[in-house]
Amino acid sequence: MATRGQFTTRIGAIAATVGSAVGLGNIWRFPYETGVHGGAAFIFIYLLCVLVMGIPVIVAEFVVGRRTHKNVCGALREMAPGRKFHWFSAVCIVASILIISFYSVVCGWILEYLFQAISGGLAGTSDYSKLFGDFVSSPYRGVMWTVLFLFANYLVLKRGLKRGIERMANVMMPLLFVLLVVFCVNSLMQPGAIEGIKFMFSPDFSAITPHVAIGAMGQAFFSLSLGLSCLLTYSSYFKDSDSLVKNAVSVALLDTMVAVLAGVMIFPAVFSYGMTPEAGPKLIFEVLPAIFGQMPGGYVLAILFFFLLFMASITSTISMSEISIAYFSEELKLNRNKASLLNTVIAMVLGTLCALSFGVMSDFKIFGMTLFDLFDYMSSNILLPLGGIFFSVLVGWVVDKKIVADELSNHGKLKVGVLKPLRFCLRYVAPFTIVLVFLYGLGVFEFLK
Ligand code: PHE
C-alpha cells in the first residue's frame, strides 16, 4: 500500500479536527436552534450532551481510526475481523456525500453574500428577505456558487493532507477565533446588549421540554461531526504519540466555545436592534445583514462575517470529502488527485440538484421533500445517529476492552483515569440517548410538540 500521510504536529491534527467540527453547525445552526428553543435552557442541555455523549463517541471514533491507520472500510475490517462490520462503511460514505451535497449549497449562499457584501449589494438594499428569496430561487446563481465552492474545496483536497488540509486549518482556525472575538466585542458594545446575554445565560429550567432536550442532542451530534467516520478518518492520520482523550476533549471544548461565541456575537446585536431571535435558518442571512446595514462600519463587518463563515464551512466540507477520498485511494487504489476529482464530481452533480431544489426543481419531491430537504433529513436525522449508535456499540461492546485501554494509554505509556466512565457512556448512555435522537428524527415524538 502507498505510504500514508500523517499530520505533522499535534496542533495541526487538532486544528484540522476542530476545523471539521466547527462549521455551519456552530455559526449558523447553533444560534438559530438556541433562538427557537428559548436560549439558556437549550444551551445547558447541549453542554450536558457534549459531555456524556459527544466526548465518548469522539473517543470511540478516534480509537478505531488511530489503532488501524486506515480508511473507514479498512479500519472496520481490522477492528472486527470476520464480522462483516466493514459494510457499514458504505453508510458512512453515502452519508458523507449526501451531507456535502446540501451543505455546499448553503456554502454557496455564503459565497454569494460575501460577493454581495464586497460589491455593495448588501448595503444597497433594505429588504433582506426579498434579496435572499430572489437569490436562492434564481435558476443559475445558486448552482454557480455551489459549484465554485466545491471547486475551491477540490483545490485544497488535491494538495493532500499536509500541504492542503493541515496548512489551511493552521491558518484558518486561529484567524476564525480572532474574528469571532472581534465580533463578540462589537456585539457586546451595542446599547442594550445585556438582554442578549441574559437570553443566553440565565436559564429558565421550566423551559426544558423533551422537544428542547432532543433538539440539543441532535445539534451536538451535527456540530461535533459525529457518526460519519469523519473523526475516524482524521484520527487515522494522528501520530501514535498523541493522547486520544486529550485530543477529544480539546476538540469538544473548542467546538463548544465557538458555538457559544457565535451566540454572543449574534444575540446581543439581535436584541439591541430590536430583532427577534426566533428567525430560524434565515437568522444569519436576513437578520444579520439588516443589523450590519445599520451599524457603523457595517460594510467591513459584513465582509468579515461572511468570510468567517466561509472559513468555518470549507474546513468542514474538506473533512467530509476526506472520508471517501481515503476510501477511494486505499481501497480502489486511485491516486490522490483522481480520488479528489471523483469526490468533487459526484458532489457537484448532487449539489447542483440540491441547489435547484429552491428554483426550477422545487416541485420535484420525494416523500414530500425537495432533494435538499431529503438529503438533509436522511443524513442528519437518520444516518448520523445510526453511525453514532454503530461506533458506540462497536467500541463499547464489540472491541476487546484491553484493546481500547491499550489504545487510549498509547500502549501503557499514558495513565488513563477515565476508562470506566467512558466505557459506561459508550455502552449505555450514548446508545440510549442516540436512539432517542433517532426516534425523534423519525417524528416519533411529534405528539410532544
Ligand atoms: N460539524 C460540522 C458543522 O458543525 C458539520 C459536519 C457534520 C462535518 C458531519 C463533518 C461531518 O458544521
Side-chain angles (χ1 to χ4, degrees):
M1 199 178 72
T3 48
R4 238 175 159 264
Q6 242 182 18
F7 290 121
T8 337
T9 62
R10 178 166 177 252
I11 299 285
I14 292 185
T17 317
V18 171
S20 164
V22 168
L24 297 176
N26 306 59
I27 302 177
W28 172 57
R29 204 167 183 270
F30 180 82
Y32 87 66
E33 285 276 323
T34 306
V36 294
H37 285 121
F42 175 86
I43 297 184
F44 176 77
I45 303 283
Y46 176 81
L47 296 178
L48 215 61
C49 294
V50 170
L51 197 70
V52 300
M53 180 189 80
I55 296 179
V57 179
I58 300 181
V59 173
E61 287 202 32
F62 280 2
V63 166
V64 180
R66 215 268 306 263
R67 178 89 186 169
T68 58
H69 291 296
K70 293 211 165 89
N71 71 88
V72 54
C73 182
L76 293 178
R77 213 185 273 127
E78 189 174 319
M79 282 312 259
R83 295 233 197 184
K84 304 220 182 311
F85 274 38
H86 60 280
W87 282 102
F88 195 79
S89 56
V91 173
C92 297
I93 291 169
V94 169
S96 70
I97 291 178
L98 293 184
I99 295 198
I100 197 174
S101 309
F102 79 84
Y103 198 94
S104 51
V105 174
V106 182
C107 300
W109 298 348
I110 291 167
L111 283 186
E112 159 84 5
Y113 270 69
L114 184 58
F115 170 76
Q116 291 285 350
I118 295 172
S119 65
L122 274 191
T125 180
S126 56
D127 189 348
Y128 293 95
S129 83
K130 182 169 181 306
L131 185 84
F132 185 67
D134 285 352
F135 160 60
V136 295
S137 59
S138 112
Y140 66 91
R141 267 169 55 214
V143 174
M144 177 187 84
W145 288 114
T146 305
V147 168
L148 263 178
F149 179 85
L150 285 167
F151 185 67
N153 195 57
Y154 162 73
L155 292 182
V156 180
L157 284 168
K158 86 180 187 54
R159 292 175 67 90
L161 191 70
K162 291 182 192 163
R163 288 189 320 125
I165 301 179
E166 187 174 353
R167 200 182 277 177
M168 180 179 71
N170 277 339
V171 174
M172 285 193 172
M173 284 301 112
L175 195 61
L176 184 132
F177 269 93
V178 172
L179 277 180
L180 257 180
V181 171
V182 170
F183 273 103
C184 287
V185 172
N186 177 58
S187 173
L188 289 171
M189 276 165 31
Q190 306 301 319
I194 189 74
E195 284 312 310
I197 294 298
K198 278 198 202 133
F199 178 73
M200 282 186 71
F201 295 110
S202 83
D204 164 13
F205 287 107
S206 66
I208 300 180
T209 60
H211 185 66
V212 168
I214 295 165
M217 286 183 230
Q219 171 60 23
F221 231 86
F222 187 80
S223 184
L224 293 170
S225 313
L226 300 181
L228 194 71
S229 78
C230 203
L231 302 172
L232 181 161
T233 306
Y234 268 17
S235 64
S236 72
Y237 305 127
F238 286 179
K239 289 190 174 147
D240 287 331
S241 54
D242 282 2
S243 157
L244 294 186
V245 176
K246 272 197 197 153
N247 280 14
V249 172
S250 315
V251 170
L253 262 179
L254 290 167
D255 183 71
T256 305
M257 231 169 88
V258 172
V260 173
L261 285 177
V264 173
M265 145 171 102
I266 292 173
F267 290 116
V270 165
F271 278 88
S272 170
Y273 282 82
M275 309 270 187
T276 54
E278 300 108 19
K282 294 180 296 192
L283 186 66
I284 62 167
F285 292 105
E286 293 185 11
V287 177
L288 279 189
I291 294 176
F292 291 140
Q294 298 172 43
M295 266 184 194
Y299 173 78
V300 177
L301 288 175
I303 296 175
L304 290 179
F305 177 75
F306 287 106
F307 183 64
L308 179 147
L309 272 171
F310 168 74
M311 289 195 297
S313 49
I314 194 164
T315 47
S316 295
T317 50
I318 292 282
S319 74
M320 296 170 200
S321 314
E322 189 59 27
I323 299 171
S324 46
I325 291 178
Y327 173 82
F328 293 152
S329 49
E330 284 162 23
E331 303 290 325
L332 310 183
K333 312 282 179 230
L334 297 184
N335 67 28
R336 174 104 204 161
N337 189 31
K338 283 205 182 115
S340 313
L341 205 59
L342 180 58
N343 170 276
T344 305
V345 171
I346 299 174
M348 277 182 180
V349 172
L350 294 176
T352 298
L353 296 175
C354 286
L356 291 175
S357 295
F358 293 89
V360 291
M361 279 178 64
S362 60
D363 291 332
F364 178 79
K365 294 202 168 136
I366 301 176
F367 303 125
M369 287 178 265
T370 62
L371 271 191
F372 180 97
D373 291 337
L374 182 75
F375 284 13
D376 179 7
Y377 181 87
M378 269 180 53
S379 47
S380 315
N381 293 350
I382 300 179
L383 301 176
L384 285 194
L386 210 59
I389 298 171
F390 178 84
F391 286 111
S392 38
V393 169
L394 176 72
V395 176
W397 294 91
V398 178
V399 173
D400 191 339
K401 190 171 147 188
K402 288 199 203 85
I403 294 188
V404 179
D406 185 56
E407 199 51 40
L408 292 184
S409 66
N410 292 356
H411 311 294
K413 288 192 205 86
L414 304 175
K415 246 181 78 80
V416 183
V418 290
L419 191 62
K420 270 209 171 134
L422 196 87
R423 278 193 89 235
F424 180 77
C425 287
L426 281 179
R427 288 165 77 91
Y428 306 103
V429 183
F432 177 73
T433 40
I434 301 167
V435 167
L436 272 184
V437 179
F438 191 63
L439 296 177
Y440 171 76
L442 294 178
V444 175
F445 299 117
E446 283 306 299
F447 66 93
L448 293 174
K449 280 191 177 166

